[in-house]
Amino acid sequence: VRFERTVVRSVDATWAITQDDAERLRRLYLVDNISELPVAVDVERFAALPETSGDDKTFVHLGGIDFRKKRAMSRFIRQEWPEILRMEPAAKLLVAGRLTAHVRVRGPGIHFLGYVKDELDCYRLGRLALNSQTTAGGIKIKSLTAMAAGRTLVCTDVGVEGMAVRHGEQYWNFDAGGGSTGVAALIKNPEVGLSIARAGRDWVTRYHSEAVIRRQSERLLNAVMH
């Protein structure tokens, strides 16, 4: 913290990757030269994937699994997935990415795909995207890319930390939406899921596309240089 305080107070400008982080730094160090420069997502690459593509009862969990993510995924499989399956037996969960084999817990309807070269190949398989993270820092790239791909994002508060999105509008909050019961109801109402997916994709395009971030970075650089 001491090093961060010294840096923030000695430079002309500081850029944070989320609005929440920028506000926190301003309060913590009592400086006002802190702006937001969000993470950019290649939305054009995902734009060709229709929101209606993929199975409407299949979740995709995409991304490497470290120790913390492994613990969250294991908990989800043990505690939540059986209830979801009980209410919607046709539900499936595809887990793809590095180190997914480290998740020792298995269950019916769950398929571990390992490393995949192109995430679009996975997103084409299911309309729902799961982010089971319960602890992490910074903005969640997997949540942004899932929304950019037109998937219905289902996650915890942590999964959208730093993102100005609303439950039931741009994403589905697992806890606020009634846990397993709410997720099962969401699966049974694909039109609701499609509406959320479209709104989520629009939000990412508006705030995190490369074109938007490029214009914002140019504005911030010009302000510093002049």
Side-chain angles (χ1 to χ4, degrees):
V1 174
R2 182 180 301 173
F3 175 75
E4 185 178 75
R5 181 191 300 113
T6 301
V7 172
V8 168
R9 289 181 173 178
S10 62
V11 298
D12 294 327
T14 300
W15 301 336
I17 63 172
T18 71
Q19 184 177 8
D20 289 350
D21 287 343
E23 291 175 354
R24 179 185 62 82
L25 288 171
R26 283 193 286 267
R27 291 195 305 269
L28 187 61
Y29 301 128
L30 302 177
V31 294
D32 56 9
N33 63 336
I34 299 175
S35 303
E36 177 190 355
L37 185 63
V39 173
V41 177
D42 188 0
V43 296
E44 291 185 358
R45 178 167 173 267
F46 295 102
L49 189 62
E51 295 95 347
T52 53
S53 63
D55 180 68
D56 59 12
K57 294 179 174 59
T58 295
F59 289 86
V60 176
H61 181 283
L62 191 58
I65 294 184
D66 57 20
F67 176 76
R68 292 181 300 177
K69 295 173 186 174
K70 180 183 71 172
R71 187 166 52 186
M73 174 59 73
S74 298
R75 176 187 173 278
F76 179 84
I77 292 173
R78 286 194 185 99
Q79 299 182 17
E80 312 297 349
W81 188 249
E83 283 299 301
I84 294 172
L85 276 186
R86 184 180 63 81
M87 292 177 278
E88 182 47 77
K92 295 180 182 178
L93 171 60
L94 309 180
V95 183
R98 293 184 305 103
L99 306 179
T100 51
H102 287 193
V103 180
R104 303 299 183 187
V105 183
R106 296 293 190 265
I110 302 176
H111 305 274
F112 289 83
L113 308 180
Y115 172 78
V116 292
K117 186 175 182 180
D118 189 343
E119 62 263 42
L120 281 174
D121 292 336
C122 288
Y123 285 136
R124 288 190 181 95
L125 300 176
R127 293 190 194 175
L128 300 137
L130 174 68
N131 185 347
S132 58
Q133 286 179 269
T134 55
T135 58
I139 200 162
K140 311 305 176 291
I141 303 299
K142 71 169 61 179
S143 292
L144 290 176
T145 54
M147 295 164 75
R151 306 302 90 181
T152 305
L153 176 64
V154 177
C155 67
T156 59
D157 289 332
V158 173
V160 291
E161 199 170 30
M163 298 163 59
V165 290
R166 294 177 180 272
H167 160 64
E169 295 183 20
Q170 296 92 1
Y171 84 108
W172 186 269
N173 188 300
F174 187 86
D175 297 313
S180 303
T181 302
V183 171
L186 178 66
I187 297 173
K188 293 177 184 294
N189 290 275
E191 290 304 316
V192 173
L194 280 174
S195 176
I196 293 172
R198 288 170 178 142
R201 171 175 263 175
D202 289 344
W203 182 86
V204 171
T205 302
R206 188 178 306 118
Y207 294 106
H208 289 275
S209 68
E210 291 183 342
V212 169
I213 304 306
R214 187 180 303 113
R215 289 194 296 269
Q216 189 162 346
S217 62
E218 288 173 353
R219 178 178 59 81
L220 291 173
L221 283 170
N222 286 333
V224 172
M225 294 175 67
H226 296 90

